[in-house]
Structures are given as C-alpha cells and as structure tokens.
Amino acid sequence: MTLGRALQADVLVIGSGAGGAPTAALAAEAGHDVVVLEEGPLVRQGEVVPFSLEQMGRQYRAGGVTPALGLPSITYTEGCCAGGGTEINSGLYRRPPVEVLTRWGLDDDAVTEIYAICDEVEKELSVQTVPGAQLPASEALRRGAADLHWRHDESPRWMEYPAGPAAWQGRRRSMTETYLPRAEAAGARLLTGHRVDRLIFDASRAVRAEVTTADGTPTTIDFRDVFVCGGAIQTPALLQRSGRRRGIGRTLAVHPTVKLTARFDDEVNVADDVPVHQVKEFAPDLSFGGSASNPGLVALALSDAWDRFGPAVTDWRHLAVYYAAITSVGRGRVTAVPGLRDPVVTYRLTRRDKQLLGQGLARLGLLLLEAGATEVYPAYRGAPVVRRPADLATVRATFSAGRASVMTVHLCSTVPFGDNDTAPAHPSGLLKATTNVWVNDASLLPDAPGVNPQASVMAVAIRNVRQYLEARR
Amino acid sequence: MPPFPSPRAVADFSDRLLAHDLPELPADRRRAAVDFAGRRIEGLPSPVRIGVGLVAATTSGLGRLAGPGRVVRFAARRPVPVLSEYVRLVRSLAYAFVWETWPDTAPDGTPAATAP
C-alpha cells in the first residue's frame, strides 16, 4: 500500500520489527487509530531462501553490507522489511537474565512484570526447543562442549514445527506472522515502502512526520503520539535529523563476533538454517554458537586466508561456520550528517575486547577439534589451518582483531533509558524533553544484555506501550 | 551528478581482482560476479559509499600511473590499511556470489566438472 497524500493517526509507529509490531498491535487493540510506517517491503516467508543473497538483497538494509567504521570495522546487519530483524535473524530466544534487568535499574516488581510479559511472548511466538533431530552442525557443538565439560544448552526458538520434524522444517513465528497481523486485524494500517525523513516539532511536541515513499513521493502524516521503533541505528538517526541530539546515538552497544569454519568427516552443512546449541561456559563475556553456512557464506568465511583455506571450499558439504561472540565494553556512535541519507556508524573495540575475541576464537577451535573436526579455519588474515590443539598456540600468537572479519547482529543502546541525567529516555521510553515521543526498540536497552536481545526488546516494548495505554485511558 | 563511486572504476578493479584470485573462473561468471559486487557497492550506506568511492578513485588513478594490473596485485597481497578493506569488500561480495550461485566451483574458479 502506498499513498501520496497526507494522513492522520492517533498513534504513529515508525518501524515494524520486534519493538514496533507489538507496540502497534497493542495500541490498535486498545482502540487507537494506528499507522505503522515501514521503510522496507513486505516479503512473505517462503518467498526467499533464508540467509541467501536474494534475501539479503530484499530484506536487509543495503543488501547486508553495513559496516560500523573503526579499527577494525565491524560488519553489522539490519532488517529493512516488514517485521524488521525478526524476518532475517536466527529466531533464537533468550530471556534477559535477572542480573541484567537489575543492572538496568528495574526493581523487583518491574523484573516480575518483564518475566510475565516474557511468558506471554513465548506463547504468542511458540517459543520452544527443537522437538526432532538437531542439525549435525548443532550436534557437533553440543558434543564438543559436553566432552570438555563446558556449560552448554539448546537455545529455544520462536518456531512452529510440524510433528516429528528436524530443525530445518520449522516455520518462523516472526512479526509478519504474529503481531503485525494482530495489529492489522485491529484496524492498524501498515504502510511499507515509507521512509520517515524527519519529525516536525512544535516546542516539545512532535506533530508531523515527513515521509518519502519508495517511488520518491513526499508525503506527511500528522499524529497525536509517535513511537519510534526503527532499530538501534535508524532510531537515533531519525531523532538527530529531527533536531534531537542530546545523549542520542553515543552509546551503541553490540556483541562483536569472530568466526571460524570447521571441517568434519561427515556431511554437516545445512544451507538454510543455523545450529541452536550455544556454549555458555565463559558467559557473559564469551559465548559460542553456529552460523548460517550456505556455500557462499562458507566461501566468505574462508576468504581471509584463501591461499591456505580456499582448497577446503570444494568440500563445503563437510563444513560449518561457527562464531565466538563477546560482551564488549567498547562503544560506538550513530551520527546523522546533514546532506547524507544514511548515518555514519562507528565502533571502537577496547584492548580487552580485542583480546577476548582472540581467546574466544582459540577456545572455539579447541571445542570443535574436541567435537571431531579434522580441520579448523579461523577467519583472519594470515590464520593457520588448525589440525590439533597445539596449533591453537599459533592462533593465540597471530590473531589480531585488525586482521579479522568482525561482525555483529545485535545492536542496541543508542537511546538508552534511565533515571540519570545522561540517559536520553525515561524508563517508560518517553524521550526526555518531549511530551509525546516514545522510543520502543533495541535503542532503549541500557546496554547489550549478553544474550540474544529480541526477548528483552519485546518485553520492554510491551511493558512501555501498556503503561502508555494505561495513562491514555 | 555522476554516480560515486564510479561504477566503471569499481568494475575494473573487481574484474582484475577476481582474475587474479580466481584465474580459472570463466569470463561470463566473472562478469556476473563483478556486476553483483557493483550493485551491492552502489547500495552501500551513503557515508561508506563515499569512502569506497575515494579509495576506488585512488586505485584507479594509481592504476593509470603504475599499471592497473600491478596495483591490483599489490592490493591483493599487501594488507595496506583502508585499501585492504576495499579488497575485502569486493572479495566478500564476489566470493559469496560465486559459491552461492555455483557451489562446486574449485578454489581457482574452475567450474565443477560436467557430469557425463
């Protein structure tokens, strides 16, 4: 649906991902006239192969090529489609740990409320473990961790499985399958292909959104209240373009990851799904898991030392890609620059972060050798082929984050909530110095939770929109 | 206003880099991979696209002085800051495209043997 004329709404929701979709559903079900603006297209599940280049072209921002500049640069991905990141991620689900919620300043009652919302979300999204056989690459991770006596478990996912299937036969319960249909059933209007250029303020009150449609047509939407849910990069960029800069975009937090490829005697490669086991022995500082491993992504993971690793690519059916993720103490920035359509994104890893990435890669290599990998290929320039534990000494000696392909998918904390003066948003999500602008997405989390953040984002968003609806009654 | 980075500068560099890295990749496949990388670079976020444009223009200029083949060979082998990020970007896109499209391609680009 597109339009070239001005619209009006009680509640404007900008973005339709893990924050925006439940916000829209609850507001619409409470009787408000809701418009949801989504910059990307609507792509139904099954239209594209998960983790393929076609999916990246259609559902990721900039085709999935979005770096945070720094030494090294960190490649991140953002969903740009109806449903946002929930349409493209792995579907893994972790409740925020209680110590994280406490660190964020939530008291006992608030923690109880967040977990009650998690119960609801888990039911709505069918969060569960795999009822049938695991992917071979996931089983390898479990086996290696068990042999080393390292703490590990299977991460639940928001998936529906037909009776007795394997992991790759499930159907994702993303936002286009859950909260967005609920919102539309309650009367919300979802407009895809609509980018919000800026919000217009009258003193402390936002009154209008200036919008450009996918075909370049400018339009406007007037509203009573607005929820900005564009994700940790686009939300601060929009607020800055709208003249709100204080404390916004300065504290980008991510979980940086480095990768390696492991080769097994058996066929382990499944092109369109990811392993669900995770290793938490060194959490929250370090955690290990499996990545998408289609042949293109395998080649990508081998490309940093192609002269040594390249010959393995012909054996891609026996290869799987894994990651080591860290909880970083470094921070990044999102800065909207006048005249540029997209923000400048930077991230600075600390020395501790860089050391931890190297440690993580070596420990992950050890785990996979223990799991039966015959060769391991760490993704950094000049890396050796690892065939036995003794080779990991070379990894420790030669790893440098500057030579590595560092990536992340978890972006948050660019408009963090807090009671202190420096936090740009109130705990309710209301943007300080405004009376009707709420932020309700990953931007709002005070820091990276050390686990997959989608559950945290959804729980906080639902809590906030309920508080808003209660106050509006 | 002409597009930035220049699609031709990016395509020339990508084509030579792939010819260096994957010498047995057939010309039509190389062209398809170069086109793919060019499209994705064209769609980069604007600040990154400007940075890539500057590096592409510099390598193109150096190529006119020292010979484009020499510049690409140097860039492919030496981890020069910034320049190596450009090489990594083109390689990542092109390799991902080649092996997703033709998974049984050999590491030097040789297509998989056709079944009898």
Side-chain angles (χ1 to χ4, degrees), chain A residues 85-133:
Chain A
T86 71
E87 307 300 319
I88 61 169
N89 65 21
S90 305
L92 304 180
Y93 178 94
R94 297 278 186 186
R95 285 183 173 207
V98 66
E99 59 271 21
V100 169
L101 295 175
T102 306
R103 187 172 76 222
W104 290 350
L106 276 63
D107 61 21
D108 289 349
D109 289 345
V111 170
T112 303
E113 185 185 2
I114 288 288
Y115 286 141
I117 296 171
C118 287
D119 288 339
E120 275 176 50
V121 167
E122 287 159 23
K123 194 171 173 194
E124 179 78 20
L125 304 190
S126 304
V127 172
Q128 58 182 305
T129 53
V130 179

Side-chain angles (χ1 to χ4, degrees), chain A residues 51-54 56-57 62-63 65-67 69 73 76 294-297 299-300 303-304 306 310-311 313-314 316-317 340-344 380-381 402-405, chain B residues 21-22 36 40-41 43-50 77-81 84-85 88-89 91-93 95-109:
Chain A
F51 312 112
S52 65
L53 291 173
E54 186 193 359
M56 291 182 190
V65 193
T66 36
L69 305 176
S73 293
Y76 64 88
N294 71 45
L297 296 175
L300 180 60
S303 65
D304 279 314
W306 191 252
V313 77
T314 52
W316 61 268
R317 290 173 186 79
L340 292 184
R341 178 184 164 89
D342 306 297
V344 175
Y380 65 90
R381 270 198 313 270
R403 294 180 184 178
S405 294
Chain B
D21 285 3
L22 312 174
F36 172 79
R40 287 293 159 93
I41 287 172
L44 286 170
S46 39
V48 183
R49 203 169 60 237
I50 290 169
R77 289 176 183 158
R78 305 278 174 179
V80 179
S84 63
E85 293 296 316
R88 180 179 266 168
L89 172 67
R91 264 190 191 141
S92 318
L93 291 167
Y95 285 27
F97 177 83
V98 167
W99 270 275
E100 183 174 312
T101 312
W102 306 287
D104 293 316
T105 302
D108 64 357

